Amino acid sequence: MSGVLRDLGGGMVGALTSADPRYGVAEAVIDGPSIRYVGAQSTACTSNQALPQSAYKANSAAMASDAYTASSSSAVFQALANSQIGSGTSLQYRHCTIERTVTVLSPKPGEIISRTAGGYATNEAGSSLDFLMGSPSDNSLAGGSCSLVDFRMTLHVSDPARIVDARLTRWFADDWGQVRIDGQVVASGPQSWTSSGVPPAKCEQKKTYTQTPNLDIKPFLTAGDHEIWLRLAVADEGEGFVQIHVDVDSSCKTIEQLVDGCSNIASDTACRIDSEMVDGVQTFLNGTATGLKPLIQTRQMGGSACPTELTRDFFLKDLTYRCSGTELAQPDTSRGAYILDRSTETLLADRTRQADGSYSETTRPFALPDRGSVAACEPICKTRKAAANDAVAAGGTVAAKQNVPVGTETFYHACGAGNQCPAGPGEEIVSACGCLDDFPEAVVMMQSVRLAGADLVCTQVQP
């Protein structure tokens, strides 16, 4: 019943206002099978019968000019006309965050400084490390008239700032000894011995020289690798030993960094804050400050292994900026597509738009410029030169272990003007200038070295 009344009443009201525009309906009430209308006559409160509400019925064209006159003097209309929507500009919402990242570090002593090569033991107790090297057993080294025996140990320092103290606490030698750090002599005995050769006095001492210098070596332990070197001079039989003691700070420490992903947006003069959430608290909404601020927070970091409390005014800011800009028309790429689709290696097709909106299609011959020519390769030559095998290993010089102590070195040179090989002094040309390819030779050499090392077996001959 109500739906039927609404349909019939709507048609009746439309017919009434069309016949006499002075009447206006303000309210409609459905009451059972009837509908009541409450309205008014626009001229009832004035003696003037020609009001604008009814005048536009007879002259609808007057409405446009009257609307322009009213809008020119309306402050509300002018504000809307100059707004971003009215001026044809676009709005872009850009989201970013400012986050405080905290890393809790509690390294083990071996992660601060460690023995990577040499030595024979590392003793760890709490936040202290002892690095041991040498051959401490009595008469464990066999000498000769005056044999030099070397022991080397490499210490790698990852975080020198956490090294509290580092000292050469104890060392001994039978007969002579010297301790070097990165090549520098820091201790020697029983007399001063700084050279790399034999001691400056009689080699046989018939006793063990022992020292506990407690020498501070922390200045040597910068970040990176450092070599501890024990050199012994043994007359008949002897031994040697070095102990390095290091105390480290393995306590919990925090590394804090503020990752600001909003700096570029905030510096843009066309952008304004639209909303901001600071640790879950809404501080800005629709470009207006809410007056709310988060309380200073204390958070637990590091877990159960390294609990650390950190108090800060905020940990995460989530922001949205409203940026204005002029609406740009989409570029017309139809001409480029036409050229690419219809052109060939010898013919260039084009289509341009005329002033009247029509298109003009043209074709013309087309040729790529000469790309020139290049040589098939850079000419090189191969030479060789005799060279003594003067390399030194733990067992002595390499030449002493070979039947022929002289080998050859191979060189490659880029050929100069006139395609001549610029061989150096004493070099013999093996391959003249040309496009050389020694890849098969290189593969054979590398494979030979690999297979030779794969089948080595270490044996010891018993007396």
Side-chain angles (χ1 to χ4, degrees):
M1 179 65 71
S2 61
V4 173
L5 290 174
R6 280 195 300 270
D7 293 341
L8 294 177
M12 183 189 68
V13 171
L16 175 63
T17 55
S18 298
D20 192 343
R22 295 177 298 169
Y23 293 103
V25 176
E27 184 181 12
V29 179
I30 297 176
D31 184 11
S34 63
I35 182 170
R36 300 192 308 272
Y37 291 96
V38 178
Q41 184 180 353
S42 59
T43 61
C45 298
T46 178
S47 59
N48 184 9
Q49 301 296 316
L51 295 177
Q53 294 91 320
S54 57
Y56 295 139
K57 172 66 177 178
N59 185 15
S60 58
M63 184 178 292
S65 60
D66 290 348
Y68 177 78
T69 302
S71 64
S72 300
S73 58
S74 173
V76 175
F77 182 88
Q78 293 300 322
L80 292 175
N82 295 325
S83 66
Q84 292 174 331
I85 295 177
S87 59
T89 57
S90 63
L91 283 178
Q92 181 184 23
Y93 290 90
R94 300 170 67 180
H95 176 261
C96 61
T97 59
I98 302 175
E99 185 176 4
R100 190 184 306 277
T101 61
V102 181
T103 304
V104 181
L105 299 178
S106 178
K108 298 179 181 179
E111 295 175 346
I112 299 173
I113 181 172
S114 60
R115 177 172 59 93
T116 59
Y120 67 85
T122 300
N123 297 332
E124 181 177 336
S127 297
S128 299
L129 294 164
D130 285 285
F131 302 102
L132 311 180
M133 66 179 295
S135 180
S137 299
D138 186 34
N139 294 332
S140 57
L141 300 175
S145 58
C146 191
S147 299
L148 298 179
V149 181
D150 288 331
F151 295 94
R152 298 173 186 261
M153 176 175 64
T154 301
L155 300 180
H156 178 74
V157 179
S158 301
D159 190 355
R162 283 183 173 265
I163 295 179
V164 178
D165 191 29
R167 295 186 178 273
L168 172 61
T169 55
R170 180 170 174 256
W171 74 280
F172 60 78
D174 179 8
D175 296 285
W176 289 71
Q178 62 176 208
V179 181
R180 295 174 181 259
I181 300 179
D182 295 334
Q184 180 178 340
V185 177
V186 296
S188 64
Q191 301 176 29
S192 176
W193 176 28
T194 59
S195 68
S196 299
V198 295
K202 180 181 179 181
C203 192
E204 179 61 64
Q205 297 295 310
K206 298 185 180 301
K207 62 179 179 179
T208 300
Y209 175 75
T210 303
Q211 285 288 306
T212 55
N214 201 30
L215 177 66
D216 183 12
I217 62 171
K218 182 181 177 181
F220 290 93
L221 300 182
T222 57
D225 292 332
H226 300 277
E227 184 182 61
I228 312 299
W229 180 5
L230 171 63
R231 166 158 285 190
L232 301 172
V234 182
D236 185 14
E237 293 178 337
E239 64 277 345
F241 171 77
V242 168
Q243 178 180 1
I244 302 293
H245 179 82
V246 180
D247 294 323
V248 299
D249 178 11
S250 58
S251 61
C252 300
K253 291 186 178 181
T254 59
I255 298 177
E256 183 177 340
Q257 184 180 10
L258 197 63
V259 182
D260 188 355
C262 300
S263 58
N264 292 335
I265 304 176
S267 61
D268 191 344
T269 57
C271 296
R272 295 290 184 271
I273 294 180
D274 182 72
S275 64
E276 180 186 54
M277 294 281 290
V278 181
D279 292 336
V281 178
Q282 188 84 52
T283 57
F284 269 83
L285 182 62
N286 296 328
T288 305
T290 62
L292 302 176
K293 291 185 178 181
L295 299 175
I296 296 177
Q297 299 187 52
T298 299
R299 292 191 178 183
Q300 192 82 11
M301 305 286 183
S304 59
C306 193
T308 303
E309 289 188 350
L310 194 67
T311 301
R312 294 292 184 269
D313 54 350
F314 80 93
F315 286 89
L316 176 64
K317 290 184 179 182
D318 191 292
L319 298 100
T320 300
Y321 284 82
R322 183 173 57 215
C323 304
S324 61
T326 304
E327 189 72 27
L328 299 177
Q330 294 295 325
D332 184 7
T333 60
S334 59
R335 181 183 180 186
Y338 182 91
I339 295 174
L340 293 176
D341 292 342
R342 290 169 174 78
S343 297
T344 65
E345 295 181 355
T346 58
L347 187 68
L348 178 64
D350 195 4
R351 184 180 69 172
T352 57
R353 187 173 183 176
Q354 307 300 312
D356 58 357
S358 61
Y359 289 93
S360 174
E361 299 177 356
T362 60
T363 57
R364 61 182 178 86
F366 173 74
L368 291 172
D370 184 17
R371 292 174 291 178
S373 59
V374 296
C377 69
E378 181 183 12
I380 61 173
C381 61
K382 179 179 180 181
T383 64
R384 64 184 178 188
K385 179 181 178 181
N389 297 330
D390 54 0
V392 179
T397 60
V398 175
K401 307 296 182 181
Q402 296 178 330
N403 294 331
V404 179
V406 178
T408 58
E409 294 181 351
T410 302
F411 304 91
Y412 291 89
H413 300 282
C415 295
N419 209 25
Q420 296 294 322
C421 180
E427 296 181 17
E428 175 189 355
I429 297 178
V430 178
S431 300
C433 293
C435 296
L436 302 185
D437 182 10
D438 288 348
F439 181 75
E441 180 181 350
V443 171
V444 172
M445 293 172 65
M446 290 187 292
Q447 185 75 343
S448 300
V449 173
R450 186 185 71 84
L451 294 177
D455 295 334
L456 289 178
V457 177
C458 297
T459 60
Q460 182 176 3
V461 179
Q462 298 296 332

